[in-house]
Amino acid sequence: MAKPSRTNTAMRIIETSLQLFNEQGERNISTNHIANHMGISPGNLYYHFANKDEIIVQLFKRYGNELLAYFSQNKLPESVPQMVNYMAGLYDVMWNYRFLFSDVNSLLNRSVELLGEHNEFTRDKIAPLSVKLLSKLNELGVVEIDERGKQDLATNMWLVTKYWFDFDSSMQPKAKMTEDAKKRGVYRSLSLLRPYLRPQYQEEFDKLVTL
């Protein structure tokens, strides 16, 4: 039987780490846990990744690529229903990497490389896209918002979205987080948009964006 290639082993390490981090929390999982779960030696794991933080950086890069792929494959929403679906899809991607958004500041403070990846991704990819989305809704007459408002709202919506899973789990500390957290997150993120909706869209919004 052919031995697994180095690339395949590295990918298995990443996949296993993601599963364990999401299910049990990143803080509760060591490289030894990952190796044991895979049935490989710690030395084999260290051959591919010097430490757990290197694995996390690779997972963040993969998350970023998947989120950008989602944005590129789905056109910007032009209506309230499309906006709800668009936000729900974003939360679906984030849910698959939810460990990244639990105690996110601790992760960033621990790894200079991860901090750099995170800040570059937010600054160069997320921020411009968020402003572009709000500009389009403004042009279509769905919202009414000025330039400063676009910048502020884009930042505030991303702040709520990025930290939502961490906040939601803190409100239910003894309960295991379920996918219901996504629906609550969609509501909370889009609630920031409601004050800028033109009156004719508010009733539709209230029917669709509910808990």
Side-chain angles (χ1 to χ4, degrees):
M1 182 179 294
K3 294 182 178 179
S5 70
R6 293 176 181 177
T7 301
N8 287 342
T9 301
M11 288 302 300
R12 285 179 58 221
I13 291 170
I14 290 174
E15 292 286 351
T16 301
S17 299
L18 178 61
Q19 176 190 344
L20 295 176
F21 291 162
N22 278 341
E23 291 178 353
Q24 302 180 39
E26 178 270 331
R27 285 187 175 185
N28 300 319
I29 298 298
S30 67
T31 50
N32 283 341
H33 289 124
I34 298 167
N36 288 338
H37 191 84
M38 294 179 62
I40 64 175
S41 68
N44 194 347
L45 186 147
Y46 291 134
Y47 177 80
H48 297 278
F49 300 99
N51 52 52
K52 189 169 70 169
D53 286 349
E54 284 193 2
I55 300 173
I56 293 171
V57 169
Q58 292 306 310
L59 284 169
F60 182 85
K61 289 180 178 179
R62 198 171 83 166
Y63 150 73
N65 288 336
E66 288 190 19
L67 192 60
L68 292 178
Y70 171 77
F71 290 146
S72 66
Q73 293 165 10
N74 294 272
K75 68 176 185 178
L76 292 175
E78 300 180 355
S79 65
V80 171
Q82 289 179 14
M83 186 69 203
V84 175
N85 291 334
Y86 191 80
M87 184 62 71
L90 188 156
Y91 267 96
D92 284 339
V93 176
M94 294 179 67
W95 174 258
N96 292 333
Y97 296 87
R98 56 193 174 277
F99 85 92
L100 287 170
F101 309 102
S102 297
D103 201 13
V104 61
N105 287 339
S106 293
L107 284 177
L108 295 177
N109 289 332
R110 206 172 71 199
S111 171
V112 173
E113 184 178 1
L114 181 61
L115 179 63
E117 289 283 343
H118 171 272
N119 289 347
E120 180 181 358
F121 181 72
T122 301
R123 180 185 64 247
D124 298 341
K125 303 296 194 305
I126 296 297
L129 184 64
S130 299
V131 173
K132 184 178 179 181
L133 167 59
L134 294 174
S135 295
K136 184 167 187 177
L137 292 175
N138 191 59
E139 291 169 3
L140 292 169
V142 177
V143 300
E144 185 173 6
I145 187 169
D146 60 19
E147 289 303 316
R148 178 174 175 175
K150 291 176 194 174
Q151 299 290 336
D152 288 343
L153 181 56
T155 299
N156 291 341
M157 289 182 71
W158 180 241
L159 278 172
V160 169
T161 303
K162 185 177 75 169
Y163 288 103
W164 176 254
F165 289 136
D166 194 16
F167 174 80
D168 192 64
S169 62
S170 73
M171 298 298 289
Q172 305 171 76
K174 295 184 179 180
K176 183 178 180 180
M177 186 164 58
T178 68
E179 293 195 47
D180 287 342
K182 293 189 295 184
K183 182 179 180 180
R184 293 189 290 270
V186 170
Y187 173 88
R188 193 54 58 195
S189 295
L190 290 181
S191 70
L192 297 173
L193 184 67
R194 190 184 186 282
Y196 299 94
L197 286 172
R198 291 184 181 272
Q200 63 267 36
Y201 294 100
Q202 289 180 359
E203 182 178 357
E204 180 183 33
F205 181 91
D206 290 343
K207 288 181 180 178
L208 292 172
V209 183
T210 60
L211 288 177

